[in-house]
Amino acid sequence: MMLVKTSIRGIITKTSVYFNTLKNIQSYSAVMSKFELPSRFKDNDKSVWVEYIQLALKYKPLNLGQGFPDFHAPESITKALAATANNENPLLQQYTRSFGHPRLVNAIAKLYSKLLKRNLDPNNEVIVTVGAYEALYIALQGHTSPGDEWIIIEPFYDCYVPIVRIVGGIPRFIPLKPKNTSGPLTSADWTFDKKELEELFNEKTKGIVINTPNNPIGKVYTLDELQFIADLAKKWNTLVISDEVYEWIIYESNQHIRIATLPDMFERTITIGSAGKSFSVTGWKIGWAYGPANLLYNLQVVHQNVVYTCSTPLQEAVALGFEEEMEKFDQPSCYFFSLPKELIPKRDYMAKFLREVGMSPIIPEGGYFMIADWTPLEKKTKLEEETDANKDYRFTKWMTKNVGVQGIPVSAFYSAEHKHLAENFVRYCFIKKDENLQNAAKILMKWKS
């Protein structure tokens, strides 16, 4: 009888523990479900940069994936920052004006007034941001209501789409496609279908985002292409956000045309720029946008409620950099014109060793990236060891882990429905030390042999 009671007591105790545990789990789940990622961020939580930086930290490849120089910035700009840090004016280490440090917005307005051939108001037609990334964020957030459509030309920098979606906008995509598929190709071979673009515009279209020179292809948009976009924007009364962060990195006879300079386009264009790209100081995270005051007002409202202001000493140093470059603007020593000349041999060297390895590079007209068709090397890899849906992800991860050279999958710059157009390509960055480009060539050639 005692044994029966003990057994029953044990069963009751275990059952009680089980139900208490279940109750605790349910209670925990109910509490934690309150703190899940808000629905507007779901499906926007992945970042190719976060993923690939983590891969680089783990496997320590020669990193040709990320877009930053691995050599020193111009001495003039770093000296300007040191001088600012040691300036006798204590206020240069404190908060500055929300929409841009006075010295910097005046320098930006002076430069672009010259380039646009119109007088920019530094206080109302220029805003300084935490990198071009924030400029894009506040431009798209500030001009998008739920249901608004934005036309995005592919390939695009990957932040455009989540910014639009998070605020309830709808991205509509049109891909650049190569008009030639054989022989040596350049970024000029990549174009959009005019009829296809025209059909995307409608009464719901809020605007179009363009990127020239384009990352990752390096395409520099022609006057004909920009005029076609401008005519559609005027016809449908839409905005243009022009991401021009690589505006100074233009090669050979190509010309960077600012769409804001076309007839009646300044009034509907927000142009994005970057000190990180202009002065080779990507870690400084200073960007800007310029455009008409009525359009920039929306950006100001978002900016003041997100970051309020940017680093004062960094803005002062960038202003000093602009002032110095403007003094020698028409001279070969101006950094804006000397940098692309320094990059041409690096670009051509990369194209050469990629060809020798067996890839087919696309020669860029601007920027400091090169995409290449990697598929001739597919038989030398073991893509089945990686689990990603897209082949270019599997290729770049396998190469990072097993060969020691990291690139970026180009399908990361495309919408889900168009990723198949880019799976054959990998992006490499050539704004690197010559010795690192040479090491990349050696690693790849050794792997090939």
Side-chain angles (χ1 to χ4, degrees):
M1 192 68 176
M2 196 70 178
L3 283 171
V4 172
K5 285 182 180 178
T6 303
S7 299
I8 292 171
R9 204 178 297 125
I11 292 168
I12 291 170
T13 302
K14 287 179 181 178
T15 304
S16 177
V17 169
Y18 170 78
F19 280 111
N20 283 336
T21 302
L22 184 62
K23 186 178 178 182
N24 287 338
I25 291 171
Q26 289 171 338
S27 175
Y28 177 80
S29 298
V31 170
M32 293 315 294
S33 66
K34 186 176 181 179
F35 309 114
E36 287 182 353
L37 188 69
S39 58
R40 68 182 182 278
F41 289 103
K42 287 182 178 175
D43 299 323
N44 295 308
D45 57 335
K46 299 288 190 293
S47 166
V48 66
W49 313 115
V50 172
E51 185 178 13
Y52 275 69
I53 289 169
Q54 195 58 41
L55 274 175
L57 290 171
K58 182 175 181 179
Y59 292 96
K60 296 178 174 53
L62 201 160
N63 190 348
L64 298 182
Q66 282 184 276
F68 60 82
D70 61 1
F71 48 82
H72 288 293
E75 195 175 67
S76 59
I77 195 83
T78 52
K79 281 187 173 180
L81 181 58
T84 301
N86 294 298
N87 194 288
E88 61 184 19
N89 181 359
L91 296 182
L92 287 177
Q93 316 309 321
Q94 309 306 326
Y95 296 130
T96 188
R97 175 177 171 269
S98 174
F99 305 134
H101 186 52
R103 188 168 191 169
L104 180 54
V105 292
N106 277 284
I108 291 170
K110 183 178 179 181
L111 173 62
Y112 289 103
S113 291
K114 177 178 180 177
L115 296 171
L116 300 176
K117 296 182 171 57
R118 67 182 302 134
N119 290 323
L120 281 182
D121 177 351
N123 293 317
N124 296 297
E125 296 184 325
V126 176
I127 185 169
V128 177
T129 57
V130 182
Y133 203 117
E134 194 222 336
L136 288 160
Y137 179 86
I138 61 176
L140 287 165
Q141 290 273 310
H143 282 284
T144 306
S145 297
D148 285 347
E149 294 184 2
W150 281 93
I151 297 169
I152 298 176
I153 302 175
E154 300 169 300
F156 51 79
Y157 190 64
D158 67 317
C159 75
Y160 299 171
V161 173
I163 293 172
V164 169
R165 284 182 172 150
I166 285 166
V167 77
I170 301 168
R172 303 286 302 279
F173 303 104
I174 175 171
L176 297 171
K177 296 177 183 176
K179 56 189 176 185
N180 299 310
T181 55
S182 60
L185 299 179
T186 74
S187 56
D189 288 299
W190 294 67
T191 60
F192 57 81
D193 184 297
K194 289 183 176 180
K195 188 173 185 297
E196 189 178 349
L197 179 59
E198 190 171 11
E199 289 174 350
L200 284 179
F201 279 82
N202 63 81
E203 64 280 351
K204 294 181 181 178
T205 304
K206 178 57 73 76
I208 181 170
V209 186
I210 63 174
N211 175 209
T212 180
N214 173 269
N215 170 17
I217 292 176
K219 174 183 175 61
V220 175
Y221 281 72
T222 65
L223 176 58
D224 176 68
E225 290 169 324
L226 293 174
Q227 188 63 64
F228 187 80
I229 292 169
D231 290 343
L232 286 171
K234 287 183 283 188
K235 176 182 176 181
W236 289 97
N237 189 27
T238 69
L239 298 177
V240 174
I241 294 180
S242 189
D243 180 352
E244 301 182 12
V245 297
Y246 301 100
E247 61 187 315
W248 301 112
I249 305 174
I250 307 290
Y251 304 121
E252 285 99 13
S253 60
N254 297 290
Q255 180 186 5
H256 176 62
I257 300 168
R258 295 169 175 83
I259 195 169
T261 63
L262 300 187
D264 303 316
M265 283 305 294
F266 179 79
E267 293 76 10
R268 62 179 64 254
T269 301
I270 298 167
T271 306
I272 310 294
S274 164
K277 305 302 189 296
S278 298
F279 292 101
S280 297
V281 286
T282 61
W284 287 21
K285 292 295 291 179
I286 296 293
W288 55 84
Y290 63 80
N294 66 305
L295 295 185
L296 285 203
Y297 172 77
N298 297 35
L299 280 68
Q300 292 174 342
V301 172
V302 180
H303 175 80
Q304 72 189 20
N305 286 291
V306 174
V307 298
Y308 179 68
T309 191
C310 303
S311 163
T312 305
L314 289 173
Q315 290 189 74
E316 176 80 3
V318 172
L320 290 167
F322 269 127
E323 290 168 5
E324 181 168 336
E325 297 309 320
M326 280 189 279
E327 285 180 7
K328 50 187 180 182
F329 194 74
D330 297 318
Q331 302 171 30
S333 59
C334 176
Y335 189 70
F336 301 153
F337 305 114
S338 65
L339 178 60
K341 290 179 181 175
E342 292 174 28
L343 291 179
I344 287 175
K346 295 177 186 289
R347 180 198 67 175
D348 294 348
Y349 178 71
M350 175 173 276
K352 178 176 177 291
F353 75 69
L354 290 178
R355 284 194 198 98
E356 289 173 348
V357 170
M359 298 191 203
S360 300
I362 311 299
I363 307 302
E365 303 160 282
Y368 44 60
F369 301 108
M370 181 178 296
I371 69 169
D373 184 344
W374 59 268
T375 53
L377 302 175
E378 185 167 357
K379 290 181 179 177
K380 291 185 62 64
T381 65
K382 296 180 180 179
L383 300 189
E384 68 276 4
E385 294 179 0
E386 302 296 331
T387 59
D388 294 80
N390 298 103
K391 286 198 306 181
D392 54 340
Y393 271 82
R394 298 202 297 273
F395 173 76
T396 48
K397 287 183 179 180
W398 192 88
M399 292 290 286
T400 296
K401 297 173 184 178
N402 297 281
V403 179
V405 174
Q406 186 175 64
I408 295 294
V410 176
S411 69
F413 301 85
Y414 282 76
S415 62
E417 59 262 41
H418 291 149
K419 285 186 182 296
H420 65 279
L421 297 174
E423 281 189 298
N424 291 351
F425 295 96
V426 56
R427 188 195 83 168
Y428 294 115
C429 176
F430 55 83
I431 189 168
K432 304 294 181 183
K433 293 177 185 175
D434 288 344
E435 63 192 81
N436 283 334
L437 293 175
Q438 291 162 6
N439 286 338
K442 289 176 185 175
I443 293 169
L444 290 172
M445 290 303 293
K446 181 179 178 182
W447 168 65
K448 181 191 174 185
S449 63

